[in-house]
Amino acid sequence: MDDYSTISVPIIEAVVILLLPLIGSVLVILLPKKRKPFSGVLLSAILGLSAILSFHLSGMQWGESPDYFRLTWFTLGEGINFQAGIWLDNVATMMLSVVSAISFLVCLFSIAYMKNDEDEQKYFAHLGLFVFSMIGIVISSNLLVLFCFWELVGLSSYLLINHWYRNTIPPRAASKAFVVNRVGDAAFLLGIAILWAQFGSLEFADLYDGMAKSNLTDNLWIAEKGEMSSFMLPLVGFCLFLGASGKSAQFPFQAWLPDAMAGPTPVSALIHAATMVAAGVFLLARIFPLLALDTMTIIAFIGALTAFMGAVAAMTQQDIKKVLAFSTISQLGYMVLGIGVGAYDAALFHLFTHAFFKAGLFLAAGAVIHVMHHLTKGQPSFDAQDMRTMGGLRGRLPFLFGSFVILALALTGIPFFSGFLSKEAIMSGSFAWAEARSGSSMSFYHLVPYAALITVALTAYYMGRQVYLVFLGKERFVSSSESSHSLPLSMRIPVILLAILSLGLLWSFNPFSYENSWFFNQLTVPTILVPGFPAELQPILVELSEKNHLLVFGLSSAMILLGLGIAWVRYRGGKQHIGQKQSVFYRLSHENWWMDDLYDKGIILPVKKLAFVTYGMDRRVIDFILDKTAVATVVLAKIASWIDRNVVDGFVHLMVSAGKIAGDIFRSFQGGNVQRYVAAALLIMIILYWLIY
């Protein structure tokens, strides 16, 4: 094993970036109550420093060889060493910059948004823990260490979603997110166990090296440390994918993400942009060289299905945040699809661009909710998140309208915006994958790119609908204030910066070509190392992606125009379509494909019934047997006690008494009178003589 124990300057800087949010979280907790309003300012300053260091580290490491450091974490038995380390490559350093930057902007936005909140100090402490956990995932060089930070992300997200725990909905939403993710994590642990058994290490570098040296012989997967059935090769990738699916809300685990909106809106921006949900896609990128062809096929289809289902669900939502939540599910499906079709670089490109425009959309939605609360003050029954009660905000909030439109166009995938570049890269890769897998003829592999293409139209539709309902038409609320509410600077700056970062020119000097993107070209696709993977497939994917670029551009542009056109016809002027007959499709969309009902009736209700049955058996059968056994035991104990007391002890007492009486009798013979002794002896001799003769 090579020596990676030398600590370099980038490694030290990465450790500092990791520890800063944790230190900030501790300092916020230690603030006295009088200083509680400054908790947001303190954490923002610390996260701002972390972001600056992250940009510096990214610039220093960009294009350089990966920096790697590891040491022994703990030892079990003899020679079983578990290691921990830091791995800084292009992907890690850029992801580090994205996480730090967005976390800083979200924290800055939260200063005004969470002002006067009863638990403001606790909110910022949990926020710091959340950022610390995500940074740990990004820079970990080891699957086990990554899993530890993975669980910390789950814990801190639970705490943030449950921030308003005094209400009814947040605790249920937080518990739902926590439990669903644990299901995926169980599979994640199984995948880790298989890799450890085969390679004796969980360091990514060792796993890559061990996989490259392993082989398939006689339906056996043979590695340096052992051998398993060849079935385990695709299974290990699938187990790790299930773990990623839980975090990234892929089918069938997507039901928790919309409910996570119960937390504060800045939390939604953090969870849905660059932290929790991004962790799953980042994990898939890390294990990309370990994925078998069958596993990647499953990943591609699940990604396409999730993208389509999320987009359909977003079409009829009335809550401004829920539209964006289902949109996140859909966009994550695109990223997972990209990994599945081998478009590793396109998937990561979309992960980075999506982080900015989706965080901006959530913060802009939070600003809208903030304004609606102000404008409708004194109306306790008013729902400030229902888009049907909004409308006409373009005139009151022109800056917010402009920013929201830019961010929405980036999500839709319009040219000149970042989302167009990354979406086109994924679409081109998906068409190339389908062609490479099936040749020129149509096959079921083409379901993946065409599902993604339909999703483009649906995305344009629900984003157009949201803009029309929120900002256009007449105001549909009764304002208690005639003047427009001025947003604080701490809320304006993050939204503006994120809107700027969503412009395509920042990512590519040619806004129509992702291939000319400076960022995209730095994302080198790693070679898939799984034995038996067709070595010729990856180069074909790259070549066909370039061929399909113009075709994809034309088809996706047509889909976008179609989606925006239908949204304009239906919602121009802010039409609400309230009171219309709800079709089956409307209910399917609004109820998210009845996923919650399916879980309730297919899993939760049967488990509850089984629990009631076992409870009844426990109470009526097992408890009955135990009670009767206990009664019988008590009776037997009393009988045994009586026997012991009256028979056993009585016999002992009888023997004692008999001994005492015999002793008294014989003692009476010992009077010391010789004449009596002679007379007694004579009497005994006479009796014996009489008995004998």
Side-chain angles (χ1 to χ4, degrees):
M1 183 180 294
D2 296 332
D3 181 19
Y4 295 106
S5 58
T6 304
I7 303 179
S8 63
V9 173
I11 295 295
I12 296 174
E13 195 166 348
V15 173
V16 172
I17 295 169
L18 171 67
L19 294 178
L20 277 175
L22 182 62
I23 294 171
S25 179
V26 173
L27 291 178
V28 166
I29 293 173
L30 297 177
L31 278 177
K33 290 185 178 180
K34 293 181 180 180
R35 301 295 181 184
K36 183 174 70 173
F38 294 100
S39 56
V41 176
L42 174 61
L43 186 63
S44 294
I46 292 174
L47 293 183
L49 176 60
S50 178
I52 292 171
L53 292 175
S54 298
F55 286 127
H56 176 262
L57 178 61
S58 181
M60 185 166 51
Q61 284 293 109
W62 191 255
E64 301 292 332
S65 299
D67 211 332
Y68 187 21
F69 169 78
R70 68 183 177 191
L71 47 75
T72 300
W73 183 15
F74 62 91
T75 301
L76 293 178
E78 296 182 3
I80 303 178
N81 297 321
F82 287 85
Q83 297 176 318
I86 294 174
W87 186 15
L88 299 176
D89 57 0
N90 280 357
V91 175
T93 54
M94 278 304 300
M95 192 70 186
L96 193 61
S97 299
V98 171
V99 171
S100 300
I102 292 181
S103 300
F104 164 67
L105 295 175
V106 168
C107 189
L108 184 65
F109 184 92
S110 299
I111 294 175
Y113 193 87
M114 300 299 293
K115 187 177 181 181
N116 300 323
D117 186 87
E118 187 176 355
D119 297 313
E120 179 182 4
Q121 190 173 9
K122 184 177 69 174
Y123 167 84
F124 285 105
H126 293 161
L127 195 66
L129 177 63
F130 196 109
V131 179
F132 163 75
S133 306
M134 185 61 199
I135 290 177
I137 289 177
V138 170
I139 65 175
S140 292
S141 68
N142 179 294
L143 263 180
L144 183 60
V145 178
L146 186 150
F147 183 79
C148 294
F149 283 108
W150 185 275
E151 294 302 296
L152 271 178
V153 166
L155 171 63
S156 49
S157 65
Y158 172 86
L159 296 172
L160 286 169
I161 296 170
N162 198 32
H163 178 73
W164 289 318
Y165 62 92
R166 296 176 183 87
N167 299 332
T168 305
I169 297 177
R172 294 180 62 185
S175 299
K176 185 177 182 179
F178 192 81
V179 171
V180 171
N181 275 275
R182 299 294 74 74
V183 176
D185 292 350
F188 191 174
L189 276 176
L190 178 60
I192 289 176
I194 295 173
L195 289 174
W196 171 261
Q198 280 294 78
F199 302 118
S201 174
L202 294 174
E203 290 288 314
F204 289 117
D206 294 340
L207 294 178
Y208 297 161
D209 184 60
M211 185 64 80
K213 293 178 180 178
S214 65
N215 60 81
L216 290 173
T217 305
D218 297 329
N219 290 323
L220 290 176
W221 173 27
I222 302 174
E224 183 178 356
K225 296 292 182 179
E227 60 182 40
M228 295 182 179
S229 168
S230 58
F231 172 74
M232 303 299 286
L233 191 54
L235 178 64
V236 65
F238 184 69
C239 287
L240 297 177
F241 169 64
L242 287 179
S245 296
K247 277 286 189 290
S248 292
Q250 297 299 287
F251 179 84
F253 300 111
Q254 71 265 49
W256 69 267
L257 192 56
D259 291 352
M261 298 297 96
T265 303
V267 170
S268 303
L270 202 58
I271 290 176
H272 291 74
T275 50
M276 185 172 179
V277 296
V281 179
F282 182 80
L283 173 64
L284 290 179
R286 278 285 184 247
I287 64 169
F288 182 77
L290 310 178
L291 297 176
L293 184 61
D294 292 340
T295 306
M296 292 182 68
T297 302
I298 294 173
I299 292 173
F301 275 94
I302 289 181
L305 178 63
T306 305
F308 176 74
M309 291 179 67
V312 169
M315 294 173 66
T316 57
Q317 302 302 317
Q318 310 301 350
D319 188 306
I320 187 173
K321 289 169 62 177
K322 276 202 170 184
V323 174
L324 299 177
F326 283 111
S327 170
T328 298
I329 294 173
S330 181
Q331 296 302 308
L332 288 167
Y334 271 122
M335 301 172 205
V336 171
L337 183 159
I339 294 291
V341 301
Y344 166 95
D345 43 2
L348 287 179
F349 192 16
H350 198 56
L351 173 63
F352 293 130
T353 60
H354 175 265
F356 292 112
F357 59 69
K358 183 52 66 67
L361 283 168
F362 268 108
L363 294 184
V368 169
I369 296 169
H370 178 81
V371 169
M372 293 301 295
H373 276 300
H374 177 82
L375 294 177
T376 58
K377 193 178 296 182
Q379 303 176 37
S381 61
F382 183 81
D383 186 354
Q385 296 182 200
D386 192 334
M387 296 187 297
R388 295 172 297 181
T389 63
M390 299 178 186
L393 292 179
R394 178 181 58 177
R396 289 182 180 267
L397 302 167
F399 124 81
L400 194 58
F401 170 69
S403 300
F404 197 96
V405 168
I406 291 174
L407 295 163
L409 291 175
L411 174 59
T412 303
I414 295 289
F416 300 102
F417 297 94
S418 60
F420 166 79
L421 297 169
S422 54
K423 180 207 66 180
E424 292 296 293
I426 291 177
M427 295 291 295
S428 297
S430 66
F431 274 98
W433 173 82
E435 187 175 341
R437 295 300 304 274
S438 60
S440 57
S441 60
M442 292 290 292
S443 71
F444 78 100
Y445 292 110
H446 285 85
L447 290 174
V448 170
Y450 284 110
L453 193 61
I454 294 171
T455 303
V456 171
L458 301 181
T459 304
Y461 173 82
Y462 66 70
M463 288 311 299
R465 171 180 177 267
Q466 186 171 51
V467 171
Y468 298 149
L469 287 179
V470 175
F471 292 100
L472 302 180
K474 297 179 180 180
E475 294 181 356
R476 296 185 294 276
F477 57 91
V478 179
S479 175
S480 58
S481 174
E482 293 298 327
S483 61
S484 297
H485 177 58
S486 178
L487 289 170
L489 199 60
S490 64
M491 295 178 73
R492 287 172 172 260
I493 291 176
V495 175
I496 292 174
L497 287 177
L498 291 168
I500 293 173
L501 290 169
S502 300
L503 298 175
L505 287 174
L506 294 177
W507 299 88
S508 175
F509 295 116
N510 182 351
F512 293 98
S513 174
Y514 64 85
E515 295 163 356
N516 294 321
S517 167
W518 61 271
F519 182 85
F520 181 79
N521 288 325
Q522 290 294 327
L523 297 172
T524 305
V525 181
T527 303
I528 295 176
L529 305 172
V530 175
F533 191 93
E536 69 280 0
L537 185 58
Q538 280 190 286
I540 292 175
L541 291 177
V542 175
E543 180 184 350
L544 290 176
S545 295
E546 296 173 355
K547 288 182 181 179
N548 287 318
H549 177 60
L550 291 178
L551 172 65
V552 169
F553 173 73
L555 291 175
S556 62
S557 297
M559 291 294 102
I560 291 172
L561 292 175
L562 177 63
L564 289 176
I566 295 174
W568 172 253
V569 171
R570 286 181 58 83
Y571 296 98
R572 65 184 184 278
K575 291 181 181 179
Q576 304 174 67
H577 293 274
I578 296 177
Q580 289 187 352
K581 183 179 179 181
Q582 295 182 354
S583 64
V584 174
F585 177 80
Y586 177 91
R587 296 197 302 273
L588 178 143
S589 169
H590 193 262
E591 299 299 325
N592 185 24
W593 301 79
W594 296 293
M595 289 290 292
D596 285 334
D597 291 338
L598 290 173
Y599 280 130
D600 287 340
K601 295 177 181 178
I603 299 177
I604 297 175
L605 189 60
V607 169
K608 283 184 176 180
K609 287 183 177 180
L610 179 62
F612 280 120
V613 170
T614 54
Y615 170 73
M617 290 183 61
D618 179 67
R619 187 165 54 88
R620 294 187 179 91
V621 179
I622 298 177
D623 285 354
F624 174 81
I625 295 173
L626 290 175
D627 289 343
K628 298 307 178 184
T629 303
V631 171
T633 302
V634 171
V635 171
L636 289 173
K638 289 185 177 181
I639 294 173
S641 175
W642 184 89
I643 293 173
D644 180 68
R645 186 174 62 253
N646 295 286
V647 178
V648 178
D649 289 350
F651 178 75
V652 172
H653 292 157
L654 177 63
M655 295 300 294
V656 171
S657 299
K660 182 176 180 300
I661 293 171
D664 290 340
I665 293 172
F666 285 110
R667 187 172 65 247
S668 65
F669 295 153
Q670 305 297 322
N673 192 319
V674 176
Q675 290 84 350
R676 285 185 179 181
Y677 294 161
V678 172
L682 182 60
L683 178 63
I684 291 171
M685 290 178 65
I686 292 170
I687 293 171
L688 290 173
Y689 180 82
W690 179 76
L691 290 173
I692 295 173
Y693 296 100

